[in-house]
Amino acid sequence: MSDVTLEQAIAELEKIVVQLEQGDLPLEKALEEFEKAVRLSRVSQEKLQQAEQKVSQLLQQQDGEKLAPFANDADDQGAAS
């Protein structure tokens, strides 16, 4: 699930919220959707934290400080290959 974009995760979360708010789902399906929403929420939080770290690094580099590469840069490049 970590391969979804932030935008995809948010869109899916919105869809799940609408389904749950309608109250038409059987209990088991509602629980499955809720679990999926929790996972999507966590993935979204991770992606936002990664973006925040990158922005922070870029701002520090702009100030002339040398920083090590972001830890997930290697993972991102490996996943894109």
Side-chain angles (χ1 to χ4, degrees), residues 12-71:
E12 186 66 24
L13 276 168
E14 289 173 348
K15 186 174 128 182
I16 292 170
V17 167
V18 168
Q19 288 178 331
L20 292 175
E21 285 179 342
Q22 289 175 348
D24 297 336
L25 296 176
L27 179 59
E28 286 297 319
K29 181 67 175 169
L31 285 172
E32 287 175 17
E33 292 298 309
F34 181 76
E35 288 178 32
K36 184 176 180 182
V38 169
R39 288 193 303 272
L40 286 166
S41 175
R42 288 183 180 144
V43 166
S44 297
Q45 283 181 315
E46 289 172 11
K47 291 190 179 294
L48 286 171
Q49 287 173 344
Q50 290 171 358
E52 185 178 318
Q53 287 176 333
K54 285 185 179 186
V55 167
S56 177
Q57 286 181 347
L58 289 171
L59 291 174
Q60 288 176 355
Q61 287 175 348
Q62 182 180 8
D63 292 339
E65 296 179 25
K66 280 284 193 185
L67 298 172
F70 182 65

